[in-house]
Amino acid sequence: MSLCMGCMQEIGNHKICPSCGFDTTERQQAPFLPYGTILSNRYIVGTGIDTNGESTRYLSYDKQTGDIVIVCEFLPIGLFSREEGTTDVKINYENRLIYNKLKDEFLNFYRILSELRELSALMHVHNIFEENNTVYVVEENEDLIPFEEYVERSSGHLDWDIARPLFMPVISALEALHRRGVGHYAIAPKNMYITASGKIKISGFATENERKRGTSLKSQLFSGAAAPEQYEDNFPLDDITDIYGFCATLFYALTGHMPKNAVERRKDSRLLMSTTTVKRLPPHVVSALANGLQIERENRITDFDELRSQLSVAYTAKAIQDEISRTASMNLTKSERNRKASNGMSHISIVIISAAVTVLVLGIAGVFWLMQNPLSGMFDNNTDASVDATQNTEWTGATIPNYVGMKYDDVVKKDETDDTITVYKNYSDDYSDEYPEGVVMSQFPSAGSKITQEDSVVISVSVSKGSQMRTLPKVEGEKLDLAAADIAEQGLLAKAEYEYSDKEAEGRVIRYKEHVEGDTLEYGSTVVIIVSKGKEPVSTTP
């Protein structure tokens, strides 16, 4: 069976996949696994999907089940090397201790994740194994809709009645992770997906080392969703950190835009939510968002039970229900029964009506309280929803640079001076009549894409090999070394043969052996040039 490495569908003898357009002649460049690598004698590795400072994920095929899966490989940037076309990860002597420590933490993290299969919001882990001096994790591959796309399709925001059943399982999933001593720490719209059955799935898993500054890994933080403490070197992360990311993502779902970067919010903590949006949402939800997105940790919601309660107003409803039950259980006195008969209304009825009125008053007071209490300063006082929408649909943050048309060597030099971007010569180099050899002809993500993560933005580039057919330059009369250099500049190899010449001095090129100037040869071909040995010696006879 011949598989397309781009989509894992049968491709037969096609060089270009009819399903996804993948070119089967392409190679996956180091340090990523070569196309077709077989892991654990079971998984066929295809194209790379994404990478961060800690790991890389590949589309793969499970020979045992016939399923398309995702294989995640532990690949900590800067701590390993892998030669072209090989699979073994090599570790420098000075990096071996930190590499092994990080690998053990990665392994432990995914073992915990694999034991939480009953939680619908978590991606399911099918297998974990060690090979090639690293760790591999096999994840399910569902047909999913990116959460951002889902929100865009829903008029740019979700109503609370839609968002609530989506997000409540996420709270349970995060709570379960933290009970096992690990967290997600990258809850953000880009790491959320919607299944065909209409449920949320969380992606973007990594150890704590990848989700904060000051570790041996290039951190990956998502703008607007990363909590303030994640920007501090080696600050201990906990459930309060994940609560910030959860509330930021829920804020995005309900408003259509993210909160400002946490570093910026230290200067101005207000949340851009128009009055129209505030009125559209239940007061307790707005209050919970404000509490969950507090910059100072001591003011933030501190645990998942509290978060769940504030989003469901369980504390208010339960108090009312308890009061009704307590009153109903009392023995009514004779005079109370007489009042009931004379007034036509029981004490219980009065309590129930009072409770209903209390709920109504609480709702009205809640809106008033949000406008008057100290939390109200967290919200933009914009009263025009259309203006607010205009402000939030125009991206003003950082974007992916454009490397197309640049020499790859210049891109690498630029990358070395920018700690926030890592460029890999990745996936497919190919011939091009449009781009000269050594010039970037495509990149992923594309130029201008939003950068919503703070660090370790990884960009893969495809570098041109130049035209496949190369033209032979003029070499007649040139010195051998100069002629060979001119030929090499065309991507061709030169081989010399020698003969005597009355025309060209010794060491000068006489001609091509089987070609002439202007002929075209395929890139990498070898061409023979005839080099002068000087004039043939004249024999003298005695």
Side-chain angles (χ1 to χ4, degrees):
M1 178 174 61
S2 180
L3 293 174
C4 167
M5 295 292 101
C7 65
M8 290 297 160
Q9 302 297 322
E10 290 193 40
I11 195 173
N13 295 323
H14 293 283
K15 288 187 176 181
I16 304 297
C17 177
S19 298
C20 70
F22 182 83
D23 186 346
T24 61
T25 64
E26 293 181 356
R27 292 177 301 155
Q28 189 145 260
Q29 304 295 325
F32 305 107
L33 288 170
Y35 290 131
T37 298
I38 299 178
L39 300 173
S40 191
N41 198 30
R42 176 174 176 177
Y43 305 103
I44 302 174
V45 175
T47 188
I49 299 174
D50 53 49
T51 186
N52 58 39
E54 182 179 65
S55 62
T56 293
R57 299 195 310 150
Y58 308 91
L59 187 70
S60 304
Y61 181 80
D62 186 344
K63 296 194 298 179
Q64 183 172 312
T65 64
D67 295 330
I68 299 173
V69 296
I70 303 297
V71 170
C72 179
E73 181 181 36
F74 177 66
L75 281 183
I77 291 175
L79 296 177
F80 75 97
S81 63
R82 175 184 275 152
E83 295 179 3
E84 191 77 32
T86 66
T87 59
D88 284 345
V89 170
K90 295 183 178 180
I91 313 301
N92 294 334
Y93 181 80
E94 61 271 18
N95 291 332
R96 74 191 192 286
L97 294 179
I98 185 62
Y99 177 87
N100 288 331
K101 179 178 182 294
L102 293 173
K103 185 178 76 169
D104 288 344
E105 291 179 5
F106 182 87
L107 190 59
N108 180 64
F109 178 88
Y110 275 98
R111 280 174 175 164
I112 291 173
L113 191 61
S114 68
E115 294 170 1
L116 299 174
R117 294 179 58 86
E118 75 280 0
L119 295 168
S120 63
L122 298 181
M123 289 287 190
H124 292 164
V125 173
H126 296 312
N127 197 1
I128 302 172
F129 58 93
E130 296 186 59
E131 195 173 321
N132 302 326
N133 197 25
T134 188
V135 177
Y136 296 94
V137 178
V138 182
E139 304 173 0
E140 66 180 338
N141 179 53
E142 287 191 77
D143 186 14
L144 303 171
I145 300 173
F147 186 67
E148 290 175 311
E149 181 181 335
Y150 177 76
V151 173
E152 288 176 4
R153 291 182 184 179
S154 304
S155 303
H157 68 266
L158 303 182
D159 291 333
W160 173 239
D161 289 343
I162 300 298
R164 187 182 185 283
L166 286 175
F167 277 83
M168 285 304 175
V170 177
I171 297 178
S172 298
L174 294 175
E175 190 173 35
L177 285 172
H178 282 274
R179 283 176 180 169
R180 297 296 304 275
V182 298
H184 189 281
Y185 307 129
I187 297 297
K190 284 192 175 295
N191 288 330
M192 309 281 272
Y193 295 87
I194 301 294
T195 67
S197 60
K199 296 181 179 179
I200 274 187
K201 283 282 186 180
I202 306 171
S203 183
F205 293 97
T207 67
E208 181 176 327
N209 304 300
E210 177 67 3
R211 301 307 183 195
K212 63 182 179 182
R213 299 278 176 86
T215 73
S216 301
L217 299 178
K218 282 193 173 184
S219 59
Q220 184 188 52
L221 308 181
F222 291 84
S223 182
E229 57 266 25
Q230 292 179 264
Y231 294 88
E232 300 180 25
D233 285 354
N234 268 319
F235 193 99
L237 308 184
D238 55 16
D239 46 359
I240 302 177
T241 306
D242 261 336
I243 285 172
Y244 189 99
F246 174 91
C247 289
T249 305
L250 179 58
F251 183 93
Y252 166 82
L254 297 174
T255 68
H257 65 275
M258 291 294 292
K260 290 182 296 184
N261 177 294
V263 176
E264 297 175 0
R265 290 193 63 223
R266 285 198 180 278
K267 303 174 184 177
D268 181 0
S269 64
R270 290 180 303 167
L271 298 167
L272 291 174
M273 185 184 291
S274 69
T275 304
T276 303
T277 303
V278 173
K279 291 179 179 178
R280 177 171 55 83
L281 297 174
H284 66 275
V285 173
V286 179
S287 175
L289 290 175
N291 290 329
L293 290 170
Q294 288 286 338
I295 291 296
E296 302 301 331
R297 284 172 52 87
E298 58 269 24
N299 297 331
R300 206 178 303 160
I301 295 174
T302 57
D303 61 63
F304 295 108
D305 276 339
E306 183 184 352
L307 174 63
R308 191 182 288 110
S309 294
Q310 290 201 26
L311 286 174
S312 61
V313 286
Y315 55 98
T316 303
K318 189 175 185 304
I320 294 172
Q321 185 179 22
D322 288 346
E323 175 62 19
I324 293 173
S325 299
R326 184 185 66 81
T327 308
S329 65
M330 292 181 180
N331 291 323
L332 297 178
T333 65
K334 182 177 181 180
S335 58
E336 287 173 324
R337 292 193 195 93
N338 291 337
R339 275 200 304 273
K340 171 185 173 183
S342 61
N343 295 335
M345 184 178 295
S346 68
H347 183 74
I348 296 175
S349 300
I350 294 173
V351 172
I352 293 173
I353 293 173
S354 299
V357 172
T358 301
V359 172
L360 179 61
V361 171
L362 282 173
I364 297 172
V367 175
F368 178 78
W369 176 77
L370 281 169
M371 301 306 172
Q372 301 298 325
N373 84 91
L375 289 181
S376 64
M378 294 185 66
F379 294 92
D380 180 23
N381 59 4
N382 175 22
T383 57
D384 187 344
S386 62
V387 173
D388 183 57
T390 302
Q391 290 174 344
N392 296 321
T393 55
E394 295 180 3
W395 178 255
T396 58
T399 57
I400 297 292
N402 184 13
Y403 294 128
V404 174
M406 290 179 61
K407 291 184 178 179
Y408 177 68
D409 290 343
D410 293 339
V411 172
V412 171
K413 291 177 183 177
K414 188 174 181 180
D415 175 35
E416 290 173 350
T417 63
D418 190 344
D419 292 335
T420 64
I421 292 180
T422 300
V423 176
Y424 279 123
K425 186 180 178 183
N426 188 22
Y427 303 142
S428 61
D429 291 350
D430 207 346
Y431 301 110
S432 172
D433 293 329
E434 180 180 359
Y435 296 100
E437 184 176 1
V439 171
V440 175
M441 57 183 181
S442 64
Q443 66 180 71
F444 180 83
S446 59
S449 299
K450 299 176 184 178
I451 297 180
T452 57
Q453 58 200 56
E454 299 293 321
D455 299 282
S456 189
V457 178
V458 180
I459 303 172
S460 62
V461 296
S462 178
V463 181
S464 171
K465 294 188 201 176
S467 298
Q468 186 169 3
M469 303 305 294
R470 303 301 177 88
T471 302
L472 291 178
K474 179 180 179 181
V475 294
E476 184 178 346
E478 288 191 356
K479 291 183 178 180
L480 173 59
D481 56 347
L482 294 177
D486 288 345
I487 292 171
E489 191 174 336
Q490 295 297 316
L492 304 170
L493 301 175
K495 179 180 178 182
E497 292 184 3
Y498 294 85
E499 66 180 45
Y500 293 112
S501 172
D502 294 331
K503 179 181 178 182
E504 299 295 345
E506 183 178 358
R508 299 276 179 170
V509 176
I510 303 172
R511 66 184 184 278
Y512 290 106
K513 183 177 182 180
E514 298 176 348
H515 299 280
V516 296
E517 175 192 340
D519 282 356
T520 56
L521 296 177
E522 188 172 354
Y523 175 88
S525 298
T526 299
V527 62
V528 178
I529 53 177
I530 306 300
V531 182
S532 173
K533 295 195 296 183
K535 292 184 178 181
E536 185 175 3
V538 178
S539 61
T540 58
T541 58

